[in-house]
Amino acid sequence: MPITLNCTGYRRRINGDVTAVVSITADDGPILFSDRVVLTSAKSRAQFARAVLTRLGESPGIDADRIETQLLEILQEAEAALSSDPNPYAPAEEPGTERVEDYLLTPHGFFRIYTCETSDGIREREVRLSNFVARIRREVIVDDGITQSRFFEIAGEYAGTRLPVIRVAAAEFERMSWIAENWGARPRLMPVARVRDLVRDAIQALSSSAEFAHVFAHTGWRKLGKRWVFLHGGGGITGDGVRDNVYVELPEALGGYQLPEPPTGERLKEAVRLAWGFYDAAEPSVSAAFLGAAYAAVLAEWLRPDFSLW
């Protein structure tokens, strides 16, 4: 399978190195692999080649020597273009790049931008922090009626592939061990000083638009604002019907506790007739107790029953 290396966004670092975003395509098809490469570094070129072979496998059209040769050709083109660039040290702009404060979110990972004062003026340089990106999609309070726990729902991307959305306890977020625990060995942090703190800060800085949700993890009555709402597996119900803005996530063992949408009109009348029809299913001393217990279950918040059926 013959491949083609395409280059975008090359820039020169303050130390003289040339970096670029290099993508792999086959027969003018979609991008198969893409990453940033320090073209002037033999180590970086070799790492890129190994990553390509790991992703695509070795074949007559793909081998480390051929990739190395094409990277060196790209380096020559980059050197020629940068020689006439009025600002070759500026961070490269590319599709999918987002900058917030001193961080760059790119399709190839997080970068920290450092500002340096040189004899030629103020320049910026990029330091790579990770080979993946992540963003807090939603901040969730899980309320079981007794305690409230805070979680972050985190979406990620690695090498152009979306990672599973995960839910991380806020208390565990700073430790960053959730990366390997949930996404495996491929997403990694670079060997940079304080990299865990920097990536954690980058995720938070780039998650200012995260949604917020209060999720209930129990059934029964809760007073939300000025209204009483009955919680069940499908959400909440009030005297006016279904509340669309109430979120309930029950433990698996309670998954069956889900009520249908309250009927109206003739359907409501028929439902009442069916319910009271249970009264005739047995002797009143038996059926009345069971029928009353069903209603008492919903009204227990106020009745406070001190008995149970046997």
Side-chain angles (χ1 to χ4, degrees), residues 283-300:
E283 291 293 326
S285 59
V286 175
S287 62
F290 277 100
L291 187 60
Y295 289 99
V298 181
L299 300 174

Side-chain angles (χ1 to χ4, degrees), residues 234-252:
I237 296 178
T238 70
D240 297 325
V242 175
R243 281 278 296 268
D244 294 330
N245 59 343
V246 175
Y247 305 99
V248 179
E249 294 180 6
L250 298 179
E252 185 176 355

